[in-house]
């Protein structure tokens, strides 16, 4: 998506429509909040919410300053900030929304030495205004482990051009930068602009971790038609530092595939290869690889495009959205397409994608964190390591239409993607993807990889959306020791241990990666889940809901049978009528969703898949799982969920947001019905008694008021209910 050049389409984020809907949301809706989780927020007044970015800044604004570039501290270092005269108190929250520190403030504060992680600092003043509450400033900071494989920055370390930060890329191991040549007809100008940044990238990033082979690439977003001489001069200059080159940004806009191949790709390929045959051409870099792009891509290959590329590049809009199924569907479809054209073994690059932390007025750090890490984890299985996965983009620089940045302004603090990618880079340093783990019947819930390198192996796994996931593993040791403990590293680098008994351990696997570094002589395998037959797929199963059937959007499915058809529908894949999961807007709680089996049966496990919260697709917050025997009059509660939305009003000057939502985005729920009183019982009916749900993509109505990507009322979607005997 070129900066400010491309009109929004059905593939982009539907941002304009969602913001307009949010503006129409009921102004009083707020949802509930946990007093324990948000004790500090209850002592401070909330700001006015403006259904979008809140541009005006407090007149007594404080910008906290530290002695560390980007507020990056290393574990054990003092954490201190210089404030201003208007500061009266402060609070610190972690990535999960927990209040971890608060106190009085004056001109400066010295914080506790916090463990590795990502943190948000709030600065409060004395007075209160309707527009900002009592916020006068704030920032974010991270605590990293001091890993010798990664460089450190000085306050004076320079930045690159084009709102990129190649030095911080190296500190994080973030992946490549897409260096953009705006006009190939002006090669000398392009070389002058890019030279300092590419030198920094080589110093801080591409010269590191040679086993994973970090790479650099240059793109020509505005095309190279008729500019082959300029292309050649640029390639000649950078050939020893830059290996990959891409001729145009999203050529599907404005050119037929035949025109693009003939007029741009072939001359571009010849110009690059004319400098050095070992240099590589990336293309076509379409806006997506969803079904809407298949005709264009087939035309690209039919026109001979595959013969003039060394690596297939694409952008991943609506090919992830925090959904493991959507990632697999898009990548499996891409592989099938490449195989049809004899290119199943071609190198693949993702050259534009990023995820929101600041969501049009609602700050939702856990959305960016989960979506980013799920894509990184799954893409490794499809041959796209982080070194071939460009995160768009580094710095907040005014492109507020797509606010996916991981760095808040030039020299600013980091959003969660930066902290999470640092630990990802640390743990898999010096390794490459070896294999994917098989979770058996839980393969739709978990994703896991084994990485290996010279003298190093690490297993990593995460849930696609269950914050309470658990996986059993088998650990073998050459010394025959079947007990003891196994080291576990959290997504932010906090270390702990899990017990191993008779060679088996149970690993907590939440919605972020966990890492299991293996010592010499240790072998880890996952024990696959075998839950038996899915009773919900039987002939004769029926479903019904107590709601009035009012739908959340024209795309939402009215066919409630979809909740037990064995498919995990997601409208964002094909965006065609009928492709969405079943969903409902709620006028009044409680509501019920019920499945009836054709005959009574023992029920051992229930797995509920809602939808990853985004725009009109929402998940459940508060519900009971109940069962009933045939002809029975009473429902028995066998499971209960009470999710805290962790959402409250507060102004964040750095991102212009008026709401913080630390909601976990949990949308997968697992229930093991192994209670002694249920072992011999048989049931033919199962229902969800729903007391509260999200507002689509927003945890509560506050997100709607702030302009987040959500719906105008409480709305949920159910993709599948699986019932195992």
């Amino acid at each position: 998506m070129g900066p400010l050049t491309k009109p929004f389409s059905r593939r982009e984020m539907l941002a304009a429509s969602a913001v307009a809907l949010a503006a129409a949301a009921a102004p009083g809706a707020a949802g509930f909040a946990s007093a324990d989780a948000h004790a500090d927020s209850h002592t401070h007044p909330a700001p006015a919410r403006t259904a979008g970015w809140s541009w005006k800044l407090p007149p007594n604004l404080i910008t906290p300053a530290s002695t560390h570039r980007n507020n990056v501290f290393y574990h054990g270092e003092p954490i201190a900030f210089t404030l201003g005269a208007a500061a009266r108190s402060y609070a610190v929250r972690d990535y999960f929304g927990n209040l971890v520190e608060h106190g009085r403030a004056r001109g400066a504060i010295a914080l506790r030495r916090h463990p590795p992680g990502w943190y948000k600092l709030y600065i409060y003043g004395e007075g209160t205004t309707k527009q900002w509450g009592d916020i006068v400033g704030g920032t974010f900071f991270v605590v990293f482990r001091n890993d010798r494989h990664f460089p450190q920055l000085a306050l004076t370390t320079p930045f690159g051009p084009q709102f990129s930060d190649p030095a911080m890329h190296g500190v994080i191991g973030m992946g490549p930068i897409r260096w953009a040549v705006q006009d190939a007809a002006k090669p000398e100008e392009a070389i002058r602009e890019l030279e300092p940044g590419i030198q920094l990238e080589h110093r801080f990033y591409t010269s590191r971790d040679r086993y994973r082979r970090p790479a650099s690439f240059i793109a020509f977003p505005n095309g190279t038609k008729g500019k082959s001489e300029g292309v050649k001069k640029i390639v000649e200059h950078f050939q020893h530092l830059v290996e990959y080159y891409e001729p145009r940004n999203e050529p599907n806009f404005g050119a037929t595939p035949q025109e693009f191949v003939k007029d741009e790709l072939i001359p571009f390929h010849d110009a690059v290869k004319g400098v050095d045959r070992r240099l590589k051409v990336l293309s076509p870099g379409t806006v997506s690889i969803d079904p809407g792009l298949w005709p264009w891509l087939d035309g690209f290959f039919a026109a001979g495009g595959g013969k003039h590329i060394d690596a297939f590049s694409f952008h991943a809009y609506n090919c992830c959205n925090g959904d493991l199924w959507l990632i697999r569907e898009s990548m499996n479809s891409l592989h099938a397409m490449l195989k049809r054209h004899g290119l199943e073994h071609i190198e693949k690059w993702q050259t534009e994608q990023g995820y929101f932390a600041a969501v049009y007025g609602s700050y939702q750090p856990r959305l960016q964190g989960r979506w980013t890490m799920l894509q990184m984890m799954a893409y490794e299985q499809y041959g796209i390591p982080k070194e071939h996965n460009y995160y768009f983009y580094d710095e907040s620089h005014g492109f507020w239409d797509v606010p996916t940045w991981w760095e808040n302004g030039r020299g600013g603090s980091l959003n969660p993607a930066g902290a999470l990618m640092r630990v990802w880079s640390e743990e898999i340093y010096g390794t490459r993807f070896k294999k994917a783990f098989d979770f058996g019947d839980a393969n739709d819930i978990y994703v896991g990889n084994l990485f290996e390198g010279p003298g190093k192996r690490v297993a990593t796994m995460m849930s696609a959306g269950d914050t309470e996931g658990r996986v059993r593993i088998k650990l073998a040791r050459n010394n025959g020791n079947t007990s003891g403990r196994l080291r576990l590293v959290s997504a932010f680098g906090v270390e702990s241990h899990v017990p191993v008994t008779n060679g088996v351990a149970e690993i907590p696997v939440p919605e972020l990666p966990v890492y299991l570094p293996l010592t010499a002589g240790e072998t880890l395998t996952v024990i696959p889940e075998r839950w038996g037959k899915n009773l919900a797929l039987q002939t004769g199963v029926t479903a019904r809901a107590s709601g009035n059937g009012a739908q959340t959007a024209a795309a939402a499915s009215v066919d409630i049978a979809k909740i037990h058809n064995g498919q995990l529908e997601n409208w964002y894949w094909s965006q065609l009528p009928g492709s969405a999961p079943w969903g409902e807007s709620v006028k009044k709680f409680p509501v019920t969703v019920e499945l009836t089996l054709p005959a009574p049966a023992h029920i051992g496990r229930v797995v509920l898949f809602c939808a990853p919260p985004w725009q009109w697709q929402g998940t459940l917050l508060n519900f009971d799982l109940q069962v009933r025997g045939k002809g029975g009059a009473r429902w028995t509660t066998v499971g209960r969920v009470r999710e805290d939305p962790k959402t409250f009003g507060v102004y964040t000057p750095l991102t212009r947001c008026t709401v913080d939502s630390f909601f976990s985005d949990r949308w997968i729920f697992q229930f093991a019905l192994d209670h002694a009183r249920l072992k011999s019982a048989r049931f033919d009916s199962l229902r969800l008694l729903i007391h509260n749900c999200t507002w689509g993509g927003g945890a509560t109505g506050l997100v709607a008021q702030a302009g987040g990507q959500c719906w105008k009322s409480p709305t949920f979607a159910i993709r599948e209910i699986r019932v195992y005997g």
Side-chain angles (χ1 to χ4, degrees):
M1 187 182 302
L4 300 176
T5 60
K6 189 180 69 200
F8 277 87
S9 72
R10 66 183 187 85
R11 298 179 188 86
E12 292 169 327
M13 302 298 181
L14 300 180
S17 60
V19 170
L21 287 166
F32 64 85
S34 159
D36 290 338
H38 312 304
D40 183 70
S41 67
H42 290 305
T43 67
H44 297 279
R49 288 169 290 280
T50 55
W53 307 115
S54 183
W55 296 111
K56 194 172 181 181
L57 294 170
N60 54 351
L61 177 69
I62 289 173
T63 303
S66 75
T67 56
H68 291 60
R69 188 180 187 270
N70 296 86
N71 298 336
V72 172
F73 299 91
Y74 291 92
H75 190 213
E77 285 186 335
I79 304 171
F81 290 89
T82 302
L83 306 179
R88 290 296 177 268
S89 65
Y90 74 93
V92 178
R93 292 185 185 276
D94 64 13
Y95 172 85
F96 304 97
N98 300 313
L99 181 64
V100 296
E101 184 175 353
H102 63 99
R104 297 181 62 81
R106 284 294 182 262
I109 53 172
L111 304 180
R112 296 204 301 264
R113 287 173 167 84
H114 290 283
W118 175 92
Y119 300 91
K120 183 176 181 185
L121 172 65
Y122 305 78
I123 304 298
Y124 304 104
E126 203 161 44
T128 297
T129 66
K130 182 177 179 181
Q131 186 162 6
W132 303 290
D134 59 347
I135 279 285
V136 293
T139 191
F140 310 93
F141 66 92
V142 297
V143 178
F144 288 166
R145 295 177 294 179
N146 198 348
D147 190 313
R148 63 183 178 81
H149 295 111
F150 296 84
Q152 293 189 9
L153 299 181
L155 275 174
T156 55
T157 302
F159 295 82
Q162 303 174 347
F163 306 101
S164 60
D165 190 351
M168 184 57 71
H169 260 262
V171 170
I172 294 171
M174 176 61 80
I177 295 174
R178 183 177 67 187
W179 297 107
V181 173
Q182 301 299 336
D183 188 353
K186 300 177 180 178
E188 293 81 8
E189 180 180 309
I191 291 168
R192 283 196 304 273
E193 181 183 7
L194 299 186
E195 178 75 27
I198 290 176
Q199 291 289 347
L200 281 171
E201 184 185 37
H202 180 71
R203 173 185 165 193
F204 283 94
Y205 174 64
T206 57
S207 62
R208 313 252 171 180
D209 198 354
R210 302 306 298 169
Y211 190 75
R212 288 191 68 88
R213 294 195 71 245
S216 184
F217 82 106
I218 290 176
F220 297 78
N222 297 316
T224 56
K225 184 177 180 180
K227 301 176 182 178
S228 295
E229 286 304 311
V231 169
K232 186 177 179 180
K233 289 181 181 179
I234 293 167
V235 174
E236 284 175 341
H237 182 85
F238 289 112
Q239 59 180 304
H240 301 299
L241 292 175
V242 180
E243 183 180 0
Y244 293 86
Y245 299 85
E246 191 177 46
R248 176 178 280 277
N249 182 68
E250 299 175 354
N252 53 283
F253 293 114
T256 67
Q258 295 77 16
E259 290 170 341
F260 172 66
V261 170
K262 176 178 176 292
D263 297 337
E264 291 196 70
L265 178 58
I266 292 176
F268 182 85
H269 171 273
D270 293 346
V272 172
K273 297 294 185 176
V275 175
D276 189 332
R277 300 294 300 177
R278 294 170 296 181
L279 299 177
K280 296 184 177 182
V281 173
L282 295 169
S283 198
T286 52
V287 68
S288 183
I289 50 173
D290 68 19
L293 268 296
W294 291 353
W296 197 97
L297 289 168
D298 277 326
F300 171 82
F301 292 120
K307 299 175 183 178
H308 298 91
I309 60 175
D310 301 287
F312 178 88
S313 66
F314 66 98
H315 299 172
Y317 291 101
N318 286 329
C319 295
C320 176
N321 291 21
D323 182 9
L324 181 58
W325 176 90
L326 188 57
I327 294 174
R328 288 172 173 164
E329 189 73 13
S330 63
M331 295 309 299
N332 289 340
S333 298
L334 173 61
H335 180 74
M337 175 182 291
L338 293 173
K339 187 174 182 179
R340 285 201 311 272
H341 296 284
L343 296 170
E344 61 267 36
H345 301 299
I346 196 170
E347 192 176 311
K348 294 183 288 290
W349 278 62
Q350 191 288 121
T351 55
E352 183 178 303
Q353 182 62 296
Y355 304 116
F356 299 60
V359 189
Y360 306 108
S362 175
Y363 193 75
Q364 298 171 229
R366 297 179 73 174
L367 184 149
Q368 184 187 71
R370 191 179 73 80
W371 287 29
T372 298
M373 298 317 299
L374 186 65
Q375 188 207 56
M376 291 291 167
M377 179 80 79
Y379 271 22
E380 286 275 358
Q381 298 181 355
Y382 290 96
I384 306 177
K386 67 182 177 70
E387 288 77 17
H388 293 181
N389 195 350
Y390 168 56
Y391 190 104
F392 174 77
Y393 44 99
D394 293 17
E395 296 180 27
S396 169
H397 63 275
F399 190 24
W400 294 81
D401 287 343
V402 186
T404 56
W405 58 79
W406 52 265
E407 185 172 341
N408 294 299
R410 180 126 296 198
S413 52
L414 304 182
N415 284 329
L420 290 164
M421 284 300 298
R422 163 69 182 222
V423 180
W424 176 258
S425 301
E426 289 172 340
E427 291 302 314
I428 66 173
Y429 184 93
T431 69
R432 294 179 192 151
F433 173 78
K434 179 65 175 180
K435 71 173 184 177
F437 290 118
D438 176 16
F439 299 94
D441 291 335
N443 273 328
D444 287 335
I445 302 173
Y446 302 109
V447 57
N449 302 332
L450 177 67
F451 294 92
E452 291 186 353
K456 181 177 181 181
R457 285 180 301 138
V458 60
T460 180
M461 53 192 75
M462 68 180 289
S463 157
D466 184 358
T467 58
E468 299 179 1
R470 303 191 75 82
V471 168
R472 291 186 308 144
I473 62 100
K474 186 176 292 185
L475 187 70
R477 294 187 172 112
N478 287 349
N479 62 12
N481 183 8
T482 60
S483 297
R485 58 183 192 168
L486 178 65
R487 188 160 67 100
L488 183 147
V489 180
S490 78
F492 288 104
V494 178
E495 298 191 13
S496 60
H497 292 85
V498 291
V500 181
T501 304
N502 296 325
V504 175
E506 188 174 69
I507 309 299
V509 181
E511 79 285 6
L512 290 176
V514 293
Y515 305 93
L516 300 163
L518 302 174
T519 61
E522 286 185 337
T523 302
L524 182 150
T525 56
V526 169
I527 301 175
E529 296 288 354
R530 304 297 182 206
W531 295 328
K533 182 180 179 181
N534 180 3
L535 303 178
L537 296 179
Q538 298 178 88
T539 301
V541 174
T542 59
R544 67 188 185 94
S546 66
N548 58 16
Q551 297 303 308
T552 60
S557 176
V558 297
D559 182 7
I560 196 171
K562 284 189 171 186
I563 71 173
H564 63 96
N565 66 356
Q567 304 296 319
L568 292 175
E569 295 91 352
N570 190 322
W571 177 80
Y572 290 98
W573 174 233
S574 68
Q575 301 179 31
L576 297 175
S579 65
W582 177 81
E584 194 163 73
S585 281
V586 181
K587 288 185 167 62
K588 184 178 180 181
F589 290 104
V591 297
T592 60
V593 177
E594 186 176 334
L595 277 184
T596 301
L597 306 178
H602 170 71
I603 298 176
R605 176 174 291 267
V606 175
V607 182
L608 168 64
F609 295 86
C610 291
W614 185 242
Q615 298 177 341
W616 66 267
Q617 294 185 164
T619 185
L620 301 182
L621 291 172
N622 184 329
F623 69 97
D624 300 322
L625 173 66
Q626 301 179 324
V627 293
R628 185 175 66 182
K630 188 171 184 178
R634 298 182 59 183
W635 290 94
T636 300
T637 297
V638 293
R640 179 166 290 160
V641 170
R642 301 291 185 265
E643 281 291 316
D644 188 344
K646 296 185 178 180
T647 300
F648 54 92
V650 65
Y651 184 59
T652 303
L654 204 55
T655 60
R656 308 302 203 272
C657 297
T658 55
V659 161
D660 274 4
S661 183
F662 291 95
F663 177 49
S664 68
D665 276 10
R666 185 183 182 189
W667 61 275
I668 300 176
F669 306 87
Q670 301 184 70
F671 302 89
L673 278 59
D674 54 2
H675 315 298
R677 63 191 175 91
L678 298 176
K679 283 188 178 297
S680 60
R682 291 178 175 270
F683 307 96
D684 72 336
S685 295
L686 172 150
R687 80 171 183 178
L688 306 176
L689 178 62
I690 301 167
H691 307 287
N692 202 1
C693 68
T694 64
W695 290 47
T700 74
L702 291 178
V703 176
Q705 295 174 33
Q709 292 284 278
C710 61
W711 199 247
K712 56 188 175 183
S713 60
T715 297
F716 67 92
I718 293 180
R719 303 169 76 187
E720 195 74 11
I721 300 177
R722 297 178 183 174
V723 183
Y724 296 96

